[in-house]
Amino acid sequence: MSSGLMMVKGPKLENMMRIETGVSEGYVKTWGVAQAVAEFVQNALDARDQGGHAHIRRNRKGRLIVRDTGAGLSLRHLAIGVSEKGEGARGQFGEGMKLAMLVMCREDRHIVIHSGGMRITPALETGALGVRTLVFYVGKVAERKGTTVYLECTENEAADAIGRFDSLDTGRRVRNRLSKPGGNLYVNGVLCAELEDALYSYHLGGKQAQELANRDRSSVDFNAARRMCAAVLTDGAQPSALLAEVLRGVVEKPSGFEADLFLPWHLDAQIAKQFKRAFRKAFGKYAVATRGDSNDARLNYLGYRPVRLPHNWFSGLGEYLPTEEKVIAQANRRRSPTALNDGQRQSLADVLHFLGRRVRWCNVNVRVTDELVLETGVACEGQRVGKTIWIVARLLDGPKSELVATLLHEYAHFRSECSDCSAGFEAELTRLSGLVSGIDG
């Protein structure tokens, strides 16, 4: 019999009911006293959330007393796997309290529970199997509402246990929210994991959140957790100022936790507007979301501030924010012809006359501008828009052969109505090129 039994005062054990569990001393080896105490605190908080009260204090002997005014225990609750907690409760498997008692005995700590008119004293004893297993001794005490746990632990162990919960004094917990300081993941009020480089701590609740962690919360499905944390950010309950802070954070720290969140592919219209406001609040009126820095010079030239978002965020928010593609496309639609000098006008006239004789150039207009950028953000020297071919002015100052090549390329698009690298386009370009030779310069 463990020394834990020798510390028990009260009714003699031989006068109490003995219940064997078959759970060996080596079960949950990774648990310490703080984890065990946390299980008792968790049960008290679950009872509080069902309409009762929870109290945690030390008595004059230095024992920690965890008390609640919930429904209390019956004998059946001493069986592993028996639990009657509702959806959203912190505990769910019907194991925590029993395993916590095992750990307390293994660590030779005093532990006694009063509930439902029963006094429950755990012990570790060697039985017929030849190994020490958990045993309960159950006697009678005056019946009192709820459950009271008397246990032995240090101040640090108690603080560690209590620190695993988001609140002990605010009544029913608030679910699906964010808080500071960052770095913690709470599931139904219980600390389940630390989040590296996280701006916020995330508080998740409900049955789906409960399934994020394994039974002793030693392992967390972080992919699922990222999706649920992203859902908290996109549920419409967060103010624009907070979302602006998050956006600044993911831009400044693209390797942080928030940068890896899986944002939904489609947002409610109102939430989309909220993110658009937050984006402007974070980066200014002329901020433009980008995937990289390839178009930064072009955007700066147009008077915008490029803001590089992590891939997940650009994929989720790109539909609703001003992006590099949208801004450049809009600039292209607003492009205006460039005024040509005499030399440029003569060069263009010579080339068009040449092409008119060689390839029967017709039904297309040529206009000149200072700069061309495709909707994909790629700079180019020529672009066909309907029956108009746009070219950049610098072509008129270079060799005429380059101007001919650019015009032929765009004219082949006009004649074939095919895209680059397609068989139809390549055939037409080859045909037109065969008709052209002898241009000077």
Side-chain angles (χ1 to χ4, degrees), residues 62-111:
R63 305 285 194 224
L64 189 71
I65 301 176
V66 182
R67 170 164 170 71
D68 67 68
T69 58
L73 304 174
S74 61
L75 278 177
R76 65 189 303 272
H77 294 119
L78 297 180
I80 295 291
V82 173
S83 176
E84 296 170 352
K85 293 184 178 181
E87 181 178 324
R90 296 170 178 83
Q92 57 180 313
F93 297 111
E95 296 181 352
M97 180 188 71
K98 280 78 82 172
L99 299 182
M101 287 192 279
L102 181 150
V103 172
M104 296 297 287
C105 291
R106 187 170 65 202
E107 299 295 326
D108 287 332
R109 303 296 182 94
H110 176 85
I111 170 72

Side-chain angles (χ1 to χ4, degrees), residues 118-143:
M118 300 182 295
R119 174 191 173 99
I120 304 167
T121 305
L124 288 173
E125 296 182 355
T126 302
L129 298 176
V131 295
R132 294 214 302 173
T133 58
L134 179 64
V135 174
F136 297 124
Y137 285 90
V138 181
K140 293 183 178 181
V141 292
E143 188 161 353

Side-chain angles (χ1 to χ4, degrees), residues 21 36 52 64 84 112 123 152 163 179 230 235 257 269 289 324 341 412-413 429:
T21 67
L64 189 71
E84 296 170 352
V112 173
E152 176 190 1
S179 69
D235 64 3
F257 175 78
E324 53 190 331
N341 58 40
H413 281 304
L429 181 59

Side-chain angles (χ1 to χ4, degrees), residues 98 123 127 204 209 217 287 302 328 366 391:
K98 280 78 82 172
L204 308 177
R217 302 183 185 89
L302 293 172
I328 290 171
V366 176
I391 60 172

Side-chain angles (χ1 to χ4, degrees), residues 36-44 55-59 62-69 73 97 100-101 104 109-115 118 120 122 144-153:
V37 175
E39 294 295 330
F40 298 121
V41 174
Q42 171 180 282
N43 287 344
H55 308 279
I56 301 173
R57 63 180 179 85
R58 284 193 180 273
N59 63 13
R63 305 285 194 224
L64 189 71
I65 301 176
V66 182
R67 170 164 170 71
D68 67 68
T69 58
L73 304 174
M97 180 188 71
M101 287 192 279
M104 296 297 287
R109 303 296 182 94
H110 176 85
I111 170 72
V112 173
I113 297 176
H114 289 185
S115 185
M118 300 182 295
I120 304 167
R144 185 180 180 185
K145 185 177 182 180
T147 299
T148 305
V149 182
Y150 303 88
L151 56 89
E152 176 190 1
C153 69

